[in-house]
Amino acid sequence: AQKITQTQPGMFVQEKEAVTLDCTYDTSDQSYGLFWYKQPSSGEMIFLIYQGSYDEQNATEGRYSLNFQKARKSANLVISASQLGDSAMYFCAMRGPYRTQGAQKLVFGQGTRLTINP
Amino acid sequence: DTGVSQDPRHKITKRGQNVTFRCDPISEHNRLYWYRQTLGQGPEFLTYFQNEAQLEKSRLLSDRFSAERPKGSFSTLEIQRTEQGDSAMYLCASSLYSPPLANQPQHFGDGTRLSIL
């Protein structure tokens, strides 16, 4: 079974600082995918970034980057130059191997509430 | 490009009543998913469709829950004889499944928040 663990219930960061949100995962599959989503207070889950288990490079999308350490089974999200609008819940999620039942659903962690202080 | 749309945004009902939620996915997406999110938790998978076929249901989806996607476009999730424990945010997501392209992200709607009195 797949499991995602996010150990930081809350994080407080000063505006313009970089922040790292931790995510560790557990799976026996060799092929899997890791996602990060942002959930503002409005409720919508916003896709941020994706990392495949066979991707050799760490994924980057604008101010977001994913620090993927496969041997340690961690996929931490790094947000550079944080902004007030980054305040939200952040969820790490994984899917199973492509073309299996596990690929069709996301397993989410419990989330980290990020607060950016001015 | 419109996103995933869910209706209603909020639903308050008495225990024992039936409720139905609607989800309109992104138009070109052939996969549609339902998740449930309780307070302080991440979303949990309920079921998903590819076109009109319901291909997987979680054991979280009791007999009181039924989902349909009759024409492969919008979907409805119905809960019969609601219970207090059904209070949650119900999220719908859609994605494009188009092999060999893999790893298409699921795009979520704003959710329907259900409160059972």
Side-chain angles (χ1 to χ4, degrees), chain A:
Chain A
Q2 300 167 332
K3 185 178 180 181
I4 295 285
T5 301
Q6 294 181 255
T7 57
Q8 305 155 311
M11 289 276 288
F12 295 85
V13 175
Q14 287 299 117
E15 191 180 6
K16 299 181 184 177
E17 289 184 351
V19 57
T20 297
L21 304 181
D22 294 342
C23 171
T24 58
Y25 59 91
D26 189 21
T27 182
S28 57
D29 298 315
Q30 296 301 309
S31 170
Y32 49 88
L34 295 155
F35 300 79
W36 276 92
Y37 283 84
K38 171 184 179 181
Q39 188 177 42
S41 55
S42 57
E44 181 185 3
M45 298 284 284
I46 302 168
F47 166 70
L48 297 178
I49 196 166
Y50 168 81
Q51 179 85 39
S53 58
Y54 292 121
D55 294 341
E56 294 183 353
Q57 302 283 338
N58 284 343
T60 60
E61 287 287 347
R63 294 186 300 112
Y64 305 108
S65 61
L66 201 152
N67 184 1
F68 181 46
Q69 298 188 44
K70 194 170 182 177
R72 298 179 62 183
K73 293 190 175 180
S74 75
N76 298 339
L77 177 70
V78 180
I79 306 174
S80 63
S82 56
Q83 302 170 356
L84 295 178
D86 294 334
S87 294
M89 283 290 288
Y90 287 80
F91 290 95
C92 181
M94 78 182 300
R95 62 146 183 86
Y98 185 48
R99 290 186 179 169
T100 68
Q101 285 282 51
Q104 317 316 330
K105 58 190 175 190
L106 295 176
V107 175
F108 286 83
Q110 290 192 308
T112 295
R113 181 171 297 282
L114 176 64
T115 302
I116 307 298
N117 296 315

